[in-house]
Amino acid sequence: MRFGIFYEHQLPKPWNPGDEARMFHDALEQVVLADRLGYDYAWEVEHHFLEEYSHSSAPEVFLSACAALTKNIRVGHGIRQVIPNYNHPARTAEGLATLDIISRGRLDFGIGEGATRLELGGFGIPAREKRAMAIEAAEQIANMMVMDPYPGFEGKSFSFPCRNVIPKPMQSPHPPMWMACTNRDTIKVAASLGVGALAFSFVNPEEARAWADIYYGIIKSEACVPIGHAVNANIAMVSNFSVHHDRDEAIRRGQEGFEFFSYAVNALVAHDAVPGRSTLFEDFQKSRAASDDEIIAARKAAKFNANGIGTPDDIRQHIAAFQAAGVDQVIFLQQAGRNRHAHICESLELFAAEVMPTFKAEVAEREARKQKELAPYLAAAMARKTWMKPLEDHEIPVVPSSRPKAQINEAAG
């Protein structure tokens, strides 16, 4: 089992001077701590204009800082908005390769498309076409990172001439590719494209098993036709995360933040928004069904379901259930709502000291067994891929210089 940490860079109102900067620098400190403690991944989203919910509009900058400050933890775009209206595919390929070099081959590349009208409308993206636009761009980003030169492309959502897109990434053929998944349908899409599934929905272990069965069933089938130059067969599940020896204190420290996260995901799609006048956290507090103390009392009266919040023993059972379900990585959402920096660091330390070693001891054997089992299926999937034809030297077009028009006409005549 691998373990990641996950950032939306949430900042509920009211905002005070310096709050936004403090939030970013606290997150950097958390990633540095996670690296020292042995966590495997630091993931960050890309969103635009989503006040309070996500101030992560330039993940390439944050992840570059993470790479420079750490030594072992992998840095992941979880996800990068790949539709050309957000980020031109060539610019994405350049940025990914540069970050892969800066991190010395520690980058993972998740693809996404956005879901809210604030984002899609802001960049003029038709909601009904966003999935196709994202997949088309992602395939060409992979080609750009590998091909020398990139032959050029005429597509539905963008066109690009023959160019050698540089630099090339350190990892071969390119950083592992993932896709954001919020339901069973997108799990199917990720598997059919041969990319890892970043399951950003809070599901119980029973549902996680169903998702994993669907995902790996497609990976092993003829429906898997990779868009990248390698298959990344992995499924990661996001989880709440608040750990304390006192279960009640773990709930007090984490419960409200994770409820806000879930509330905001729905509200940003279902509710109207007024740019610059967000009342997201205020609306959440008015709608909250029960206080922390009421939740604590209710959970004492029934069998406790940790769901990432509780004692080390609670969390150990929670992780074991995901492992048994076939999940490869659990990603902890530890920065949500108004969760405090000190409490986040304490949870990271306690989990690393008392829970992580149980699962780390099994990683190498489990992954070797999985690799052996999947090898023939992944080879078959790559054989089904339709490859972009590289250009022979005589086919590479000459790009005219910037000479004045008169000189060009003279040379031609």
Side-chain angles (χ1 to χ4, degrees), residues 249-264:
E249 182 62 19
I251 294 171
R252 292 190 187 96
R253 291 182 174 195
Q255 183 69 30
E256 181 192 69
F258 304 125
E259 287 185 25
F260 170 67
F261 180 90
S262 297
Y263 171 87

Side-chain angles (χ1 to χ4, degrees), residues 77 80-82 171 189 198 210 284 297 300 328 362 379 392:
H77 277 286
R80 174 76 168 179
Q81 302 280 23
V82 296
Q171 295 178 85
V189 174
L198 292 170
F284 157 71
K300 284 180 177 177
D328 301 292
E362 305 170 357
E392 300 289 343

Side-chain angles (χ1 to χ4, degrees), residues 46-260:
E46 178 180 344
H47 281 305
H48 302 276
F49 322 126
L50 304 187
E51 303 167 60
E52 301 190 73
Y53 173 71
S54 178
H55 291 233
S56 178
S57 55
E60 68 280 8
V61 178
F62 179 78
L63 291 174
S64 295
C66 291
L69 293 169
T70 59
K71 295 184 181 300
N72 299 306
I73 196 168
R74 294 187 67 83
V75 291
H77 277 286
I79 48 66
R80 174 76 168 179
Q81 302 280 23
V82 296
I83 293 174
N85 305 50
Y86 293 120
N87 298 291
H88 190 282
R91 295 290 293 120
T92 294
E94 292 167 341
L96 292 171
T98 302
L99 182 50
D100 196 47
I101 292 168
I102 294 299
S103 66
R104 299 186 186 276
R106 290 185 283 139
L107 177 66
D108 281 62
F109 167 39
I111 66 175
E113 59 206 43
T116 68
R117 293 292 179 179
L118 280 167
E119 294 181 284
L120 297 171
F123 288 93
I125 299 168
R128 293 182 179 179
E129 299 174 25
K130 65 189 182 76
R131 172 69 49 77
M133 294 173 74
I135 293 173
E136 179 180 69
E139 183 171 19
Q140 296 312 312
I141 290 166
N143 286 334
M144 289 175 181
M145 285 192 284
V146 174
M147 303 185 76
D148 177 14
Y150 174 70
F153 180 72
E154 293 289 334
K156 293 183 178 180
S157 62
F158 83 102
S159 299
F160 190 68
C162 173
R163 293 291 186 272
N164 191 22
V165 180
I166 52 174
K168 299 301 184 188
M170 187 169 178
Q171 295 178 85
S172 179
H174 51 63
M177 295 178 69
W178 301 72
M179 180 178 177
C181 301
T182 56
N183 52 49
R184 294 192 186 197
D185 287 340
T186 44
I187 284 283
K188 295 175 183 178
V189 174
S192 71
L193 300 176
V195 300
L198 292 170
F200 292 139
S201 291
F202 296 97
V203 299
N204 59 38
E206 291 74 22
E207 182 69 4
R209 180 183 294 279
W211 287 28
D213 288 346
I214 291 170
Y215 177 82
Y216 279 109
I218 293 174
I219 287 287
K220 295 176 181 179
S221 77
E222 293 185 0
C224 178
V225 182
I227 59 168
H229 289 240
V231 177
N232 178 32
N234 281 284
I235 183 167
M237 290 279 180
V238 72
S239 169
N240 300 330
F241 187 64
S242 178
V243 191
H244 195 276
H245 283 122
D246 182 337
R247 183 181 294 156
D248 295 355
E249 182 62 19
I251 294 171
R252 292 190 187 96
R253 291 182 174 195
Q255 183 69 30
E256 181 192 69
F258 304 125
E259 287 185 25
F260 170 67

Side-chain angles (χ1 to χ4, degrees), residues 255-279:
Q255 183 69 30
E256 181 192 69
F258 304 125
E259 287 185 25
F260 170 67
F261 180 90
S262 297
Y263 171 87
V265 168
N266 175 71
L268 287 165
V269 175
H271 299 175
D272 295 340
V274 181
R277 298 295 181 268
S278 168
T279 58

Side-chain angles (χ1 to χ4, degrees), residues 11 22 58 101 119 134 145 205 236 271 316 329 335 389 405:
L11 192 65
R22 188 177 304 107
I101 292 168
E119 294 181 284
M145 285 192 284
H271 299 175
R316 189 177 294 107
Q329 180 184 160
Q335 191 270 325
K389 183 181 179 298
K405 187 174 182 180

